[in-house]
């Protein structure tokens, strides 16, 4: 399960958009991870890997750096890295198409918060799409034998 997504500017770590799983139990724990994410944004720079996964207790942070923007998701450790990065690549494409030229011009945190509102259903659709593709692929393999 994807629990939190934050998009930030690479140069200064300014949060641009975010979305969190709304659950009272996980909500209390997520504040700690939100603070860890902010620390990560301050450490990630141009020399950092463009794709990386980092353990964080029983969760994992996955991030993608593209065109001066960091896309980060917090997922349960059991969640597929492949799906996490596919999700990050998809939101990167969508975010870049909508706000790519505006990223360097904003000075307020969460200037593109309206994008964050779209993320929870987007998370679900991405996971469902890749799960269905995987099921379809397995069906093809099974039909060959």
């Amino acid at each position: 399960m994807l629990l939190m997504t934050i998009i930030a500017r690479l140069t200064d770590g300014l949060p641009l958009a975010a979305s969190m799983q709304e659950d009272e139990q996980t909500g209390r724990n997520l504040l700690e991870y939100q603070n860890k994410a902010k620390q990560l944004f301050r450490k990630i720079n141009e020399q950092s890997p463009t794709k990386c996964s980092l353990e964080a207790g029983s969760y994992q942070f996955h991030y993608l750096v593209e065109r001066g923007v960091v896309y980060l998701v917090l997922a349960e450790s059991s969640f597929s890295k492949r799906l996490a990065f596919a999700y990050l690549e998809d939101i990167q494409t969508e975010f870049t198409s909508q706000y790519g030229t505006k990223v360097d011009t904003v000075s307020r945190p969460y200037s593109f918060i309206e994008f964050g509102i779209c993320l929870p259903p987007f998370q679900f659709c991405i996971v469902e799409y890749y799960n269905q593709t995987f099921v379809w692929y397995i069906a093809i393999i099974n039909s060959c034998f």
Side-chain angles (χ1 to χ4, degrees), residues 33-89:
Y33 290 99
Q34 187 177 12
N35 291 331
K36 287 182 180 185
K38 289 177 184 177
Q39 290 173 357
L40 272 173
F41 287 130
R42 286 191 287 270
K43 291 180 181 180
I44 298 171
N45 59 43
E46 288 83 10
Q47 286 75 43
S48 299
T50 57
K51 259 185 178 180
C52 189
S53 296
L54 303 164
E55 287 188 30
S58 57
Y59 302 114
Q60 283 195 332
F61 282 112
H62 305 283
Y63 76 79
L64 171 71
V65 179
E66 189 72 40
R67 297 182 184 184
V69 179
V70 182
Y71 302 87
L72 180 135
V73 66
L74 177 69
E76 293 174 332
S77 292
S78 60
F79 192 80
S80 164
K81 284 184 184 180
R82 183 180 62 84
L83 290 180
F85 283 110
Y87 165 71
L88 290 172
E89 288 167 5

Side-chain angles (χ1 to χ4, degrees), residues 83-104:
L83 290 180
F85 283 110
Y87 165 71
L88 290 172
E89 288 167 5
D90 286 347
I91 64 168
Q92 179 273 320
T93 301
E94 189 62 29
F95 185 84
T96 301
S97 72
Q98 291 183 36
Y99 305 106
T101 59
K102 300 175 187 173
V103 168
D104 292 330

Side-chain angles (χ1 to χ4, degrees), residues 2-6 19-20 30 33-34 37 61 72-74:
L2 302 175
L3 303 168
M4 173 176 64
T5 304
I6 304 176
S19 172
M20 282 196 217
L30 287 184
Y33 290 99
Q34 187 177 12
F61 282 112
L72 180 135
V73 66
L74 177 69

